[in-house]
Every structure is written in C-alpha cells, then in structure tokens.
Amino acid sequence: MDSVDYQILRELQKDGGLSLTIIADKLKVSIGTVRNRLTRLMEDGTVSIIGRVDPNKVGLHAYARIFISVKPAKNIQVVAKKLSLLPEVSFLAMISGKHDLELNVQCRDNHHLIELMERIHKVQGIFETETNMYLKVFKIAQPDLDLVKDLWGK
C-alpha cells in the first residue's frame, strides 16, 4: 500500500457512498487508478464497502460484552467457530487474561439477551461467562488511518 491507497481509504471512511469520480478528483488521479486500486483493496480484504446501521434505530436495544472461559483450553478455536455463527455476535476475539474469548452481541431487548445467553451456555466447552451490558455507547469508529500515516509511503 502507498499514499494513494491510504487516501482512497480515508475518503471512503468519510463517505462510503462517494463516487469513484469524486475520489479521483479529490486525489488528482484518474478514475481508472481509483477503480483499479479499490478493486485490489477489496479483493485482498483490506476494505469492504458496507452500510453501517445504528443498532438502536433498527430495534437492537440490548448491547453487551461477554467474556467466556473455555475448558479445556484446546477447545478455544472450536468454541469460537460455533459462537461466530450466532447472528447476534458482532465482534469475537481470543484475548489474554482471565478469560479466553470476548464477544460483543446486539439483541432486541434483555429477554432476547437472556435467550442468547442460554444458547451460549449450551456450547460444549464453555466453562464460565461474564456479561457486561453497554448502557450507552458514546463512540463506535473505524480505525484512524492517521495512526499509521508514517507507513503510507512504503
């Protein structure tokens, strides 16, 4: 990746619906350059063009973080794969510390969250869970590309 790729990504972060023509004009490059680079960035998985939905506005009012301990530890990957299939899971990662996995879930309401927790507890290998409700979300953001701008020219 170079500075043109990063500039394309920054423009798309500001407005994912921006036309390739406008991006090309802003960067002072040809539309073909933008199209080819964006195609490559999409094919290699660097970027996906999606619509970000506000969970509250579509009826998902219970947002929680769940820590999960797995026993035996050799089953972490298997448990993670099963959890990743749950439609309520928006984020899933292996973590260090007391627990093995962290997931974020989005549910319609507390009743839905309780139903989800019952399904999670049935997954073979889950030993313990700890759930924290998000009462109010103040920020959800994409990575700030300025944090890696020193890499742009490489």
Side-chain angles (χ1 to χ4, degrees):
M1 289 194 8
D2 63 13
S3 63
V4 174
D5 292 331
Y6 277 98
Q7 290 172 9
I8 292 169
L9 293 174
R10 289 191 72 199
E11 292 301 325
L12 289 171
Q13 279 188 321
K14 292 178 201 169
D15 180 357
L18 211 54
S19 77
L20 301 183
T21 303
I22 292 173
I23 294 172
D25 288 347
K26 286 184 172 195
L27 303 183
K28 298 181 180 11
V29 298
S30 74
I31 189 169
T33 296
V34 173
R35 183 183 307 107
N36 291 337
R37 287 171 177 258
L38 182 56
T39 298
R40 179 180 44 79
L41 291 167
M42 290 172 71
E43 286 174 351
D44 73 12
T46 300
V47 67
S48 301
I49 309 298
I50 61 169
R52 179 175 281 183
V53 175
D54 182 331
N56 278 314
K57 291 185 179 179
V58 297
L60 298 169
H61 302 291
Y63 190 28
R65 177 176 60 182
I66 305 169
F67 293 106
I68 295 178
S69 296
V70 177
K71 285 193 179 177
K74 69 179 182 178
N75 291 337
I76 293 172
Q77 299 283 344
V78 173
V79 169
K81 184 170 180 139
K82 288 178 184 176
L83 293 172
S84 73
L85 300 175
L86 297 171
E88 295 89 350
V89 175
S90 60
F91 173 84
L92 171 61
M94 183 186 301
I95 60 173
S96 62
K98 178 181 174 187
H99 302 286
D100 302 304
L101 299 171
E102 176 184 339
L103 52 144
N104 289 345
V105 298
Q106 297 176 344
C107 297
R108 291 182 305 277
D109 51 32
N110 288 348
H111 181 71
H112 181 192
L113 177 60
I114 290 167
E115 290 174 351
L116 174 64
M117 292 305 300
E118 290 170 352
R119 284 187 278 145
I120 287 172
H121 286 127
K122 290 178 183 174
V123 174
Q124 184 75 26
I126 292 182
F127 172 71
E128 178 182 43
T129 64
E130 180 182 325
T131 303
N132 296 313
M133 294 287 298
Y134 293 112
L135 301 176
K136 181 175 177 97
V137 176
F138 294 102
K139 179 180 179 179
I140 297 177
Q142 291 291 308
D144 184 341
L145 294 177
D146 283 341
L147 297 172
V148 291
K149 71 181 176 183
D150 58 318
L151 305 174
W152 290 10
K154 295 181 182 178

